Amino acid sequence: MRLHHPLLAVAAVLIAILISIASALLPQRADAAPLGLRFPALAGTQWKAAAGYNTATHLGVDPYALDLVRADGAPTAGSPVLAPVSGTLGGGGASQDCAWIRADTVTVLICHIITEPFARNARITQGQLLGAVAPEGQKGNNGLPHIHLAVNLGGSSGTSLPFDGDYILDGVRFPATTESNAYSGAPIVTSTNMAVAGAPATATPTPRTTSTPRVT
């Protein structure tokens, strides 16, 4: 029986090595990687917050929401709106003024837009065309064409999350703060969102450059 002991030891070592290799090759848990958000507009377009965190309209369920307008001289109204993240679409349809994308444990809310006629629960890919920013006085925008963007833990009325950490907005941080109307006017975010099927390939006019520093 002693002759089998070395064989058993070698087998145990080989099994341990195989387990280690298999663990390394297995995909990581979905929550181990940051979700990451692209700006919900065409690559190259530049945007800023007309209304920031903790405003009268952003208190309650979404104090960390941003109301975003063009900062590159182009009109905000009519600007194509692209999905900032992949997920499952809630809402949608021509009668809606919001689209909310369920991704992992959060919901990304995009409002005051004229949406494409998606079916509820449609699968959405980052960069997919969601619609366009509504004109002045339409889709509940109170006379100012803009994108209302928010991230909530869970559903659209869940805990509001700042655009920071796992949810940094196209490389620009908007850390949590209690300051009223925080980040209004600055920083400027330049979108890197690449359009996929159904979205225009380029934005017009070409955005002009800006000297406003990016927050990193």
Side-chain angles (χ1 to χ4, degrees):
M1 297 296 294
R2 290 182 182 178
L3 294 176
H4 294 288
H5 289 175
L7 294 176
L8 291 174
V10 171
V13 171
L14 290 174
I15 290 171
I17 292 173
L18 290 173
I19 290 174
S20 298
I21 293 173
S23 298
L25 294 176
L26 286 173
Q28 299 298 309
R29 285 174 30 180
D31 58 2
L35 178 62
L37 296 175
R38 291 289 184 265
F39 198 90
L42 290 168
T45 59
Q46 296 177 322
W47 298 74
K48 64 182 179 181
Y53 292 177
N54 308 309
T55 64
T57 57
H58 292 169
L59 295 177
V61 297
D62 56 358
Y64 297 130
L66 296 172
D67 285 346
L68 298 155
V69 297
R70 294 286 291 263
D72 51 23
T76 300
S79 295
V81 177
L82 309 183
V85 69
S86 297
T88 304
L89 185 68
S95 63
Q96 301 292 325
D97 66 0
C98 294
W100 51 95
I101 301 174
R102 297 185 294 273
D104 294 333
T105 59
V106 302
T107 297
V108 181
L109 181 67
I110 307 110
C111 285
H112 311 308
I113 65 175
I114 299 173
T115 60
E116 293 289 294
F118 290 106
R120 188 179 296 273
N121 298 321
R123 180 66 186 174
I124 296 296
T125 301
Q126 186 178 76
Q128 189 167 344
L129 181 66
L130 296 178
V133 179
E136 178 181 348
Q138 296 187 28
K139 299 297 182 179
N141 62 21
N142 292 323
L144 176 68
H146 68 277
I147 298 173
H148 175 97
L149 185 65
V151 177
N152 297 89
L153 184 63
S156 58
S157 59
T159 302
S160 182
L161 299 174
F163 294 97
D164 196 12
D166 288 354
Y167 310 107
I168 188 170
L169 185 58
D170 231 327
V172 180
R173 296 179 59 236
F174 293 81
T177 177
T178 58
E179 179 186 352
S180 177
N181 202 18
Y183 308 114
S184 177
I188 288 176
V189 183
T190 300
S191 178
T192 63
N193 203 346
M194 300 303 293
V196 296
T202 58
T204 54
T206 302
R208 62 174 182 251
T209 56
T210 176
S211 59
T212 301
R214 288 169 64 87
V215 177
T216 58

